[in-house]
Amino acid sequence: MKRLSTSAILLAALALFAGDALAQTRYMRAYFIQYVPEGYSSTYGDCGYFEFPGADGVLDTADDRNLIVDGGRSSYAYDVLVPFLESRVGAGGTIWNMLLSSPGEDHYSGLSSVVAEFDVRNYYENVPWPAGDKGGYDDLIAALEDEGAHLYTFDAGDRLSGPAVDVGTGWDPYVQAKVLCANADAPYSGADDNAWAGLIQIRCGESVFLTGGDALGGSQESWVVDETTPHSYSGARDELAETDVYKFHHHGSKYSSYQNFLDYMT
């Protein structure tokens, strides 16, 4: 089976210690996994991995934290994702935070292999999918519960990391994460799961990532641009301009990354 390349971006970020007059440079790392040639993205799925510096603000020390966003398809997990994670945290190592950006099979199915092979502590998603509609999703949630992971759901405006965290215990004190939009409606069996993708802004100092899974131009992107409540909130649109690194929604689909949405990031 063909092995896929993994690319990494090292983000420099500026942060200030409280009471410290001197600015100190902090870093986080972002890896894009299972990215493939145009036209094959849905075959392999979507997956990203972040490394955070922890309480001491320094990468590659014992108190580092991490985050996996989606897991691609399960059929490629043991060829690509599991070996990659083992290279970062060791066999059976700790995955502190797991986030499902979109409740589609090409996002969640590979996460079951991660739960089977690693110690997963915290799991985040927009809203639980109806039981019985997606067998692989049900298996993932059951495995997380059996492992004792903490399961959290998020809404628009929620903060998942940083000093003002209000969902979970936070990913890292130097990394802020905010939900720019999320579907506040309850999903139903057979629904288009793309409509339940969440847009997450991840900030380390002055460096800002935006990731939104299978977000669509006619729903999530429009919610942010129009600041539609309760799916988004007043001020969300202006926060798009802070984006430094944007991972294209929905594998670069023509149904996402609408021009009016992109305009607010320029």
Side-chain angles (χ1 to χ4, degrees):
M1 185 176 294
K2 179 182 178 182
R3 289 188 64 86
L4 309 178
S5 63
T6 300
S7 59
I9 293 178
L10 181 63
L11 295 182
L14 189 66
L16 291 176
F17 278 127
D20 190 346
L22 296 176
Q24 300 194 21
T25 302
R26 304 295 174 213
Y27 298 90
M28 73 178 189
R29 295 192 187 99
Y31 296 85
F32 297 99
I33 307 163
Q34 300 193 163
Y35 270 59
V36 294
E38 180 180 0
Y40 290 88
S41 185
S42 62
T43 302
Y44 296 91
D46 213 346
C47 180
Y49 177 75
F50 296 79
E51 293 179 337
F52 304 135
D56 66 2
V58 180
L59 279 172
D60 302 322
T61 57
D63 70 342
D64 285 6
R65 293 294 181 262
N66 54 27
L67 164 72
I68 184 170
V69 179
D70 303 329
R73 291 192 182 274
S74 59
S75 54
Y76 297 94
Y78 281 97
D79 259 7
V80 180
L81 181 55
V82 170
F84 167 77
L85 292 176
E86 288 179 342
S87 74
R88 304 309 304 166
V89 302
T94 300
I95 302 298
W96 288 96
N97 302 288
M98 173 182 286
L99 186 144
L100 181 63
S101 74
S102 298
E105 184 179 3
D106 56 332
H107 294 260
Y108 68 72
S109 64
L111 291 176
S112 292
S113 300
V114 177
V115 177
E117 299 298 331
F118 300 92
D119 176 18
V120 179
R121 301 293 181 86
N122 302 289
Y123 171 83
Y124 299 80
E125 65 179 340
N126 177 192
V127 61
W129 201 255
D133 193 50
K134 298 174 180 286
Y137 170 87
D138 293 343
D139 292 342
L140 169 64
I141 299 303
L144 286 162
E145 291 175 339
D146 288 345
E147 188 161 303
H150 300 285
L151 275 59
Y152 301 103
T153 58
F154 54 76
D155 294 313
D158 283 344
R159 297 179 183 273
L160 309 181
S161 185
V165 62
D166 51 18
V167 175
T169 58
W171 301 343
D172 185 278
Y174 292 101
V175 174
Q176 299 178 54
K178 187 176 184 181
V179 183
L180 299 191
C181 82
N183 199 333
D185 300 331
Y188 54 89
S189 180
D192 179 3
D193 50 45
N194 293 332
W196 277 267
L199 267 65
I200 312 296
Q201 180 194 72
I202 302 175
R203 176 194 301 273
C204 187
E206 296 178 352
S207 298
V208 180
F209 253 82
L210 184 65
T211 184
D214 285 347
L216 301 170
S219 52
Q220 291 92 339
E221 293 177 3
S222 294
W223 297 338
V224 175
V225 168
D226 297 333
E227 298 182 339
T228 304
T229 58
H231 299 328
S232 191
Y233 55 89
S234 178
R237 177 177 59 215
D238 293 337
E239 294 184 51
L240 292 176
E242 302 172 359
T243 305
D244 294 304
V245 180
Y246 166 53
K247 188 189 77 63
F248 279 105
H249 293 156
H250 204 189
H251 318 278
S253 165
K254 65 180 180 180
Y255 301 108
S256 301
S257 302
Y258 280 13
Q259 189 63 55
N260 62 342
F261 177 79
L262 296 176
D263 286 345
Y264 280 100
M265 286 195 284
T266 60

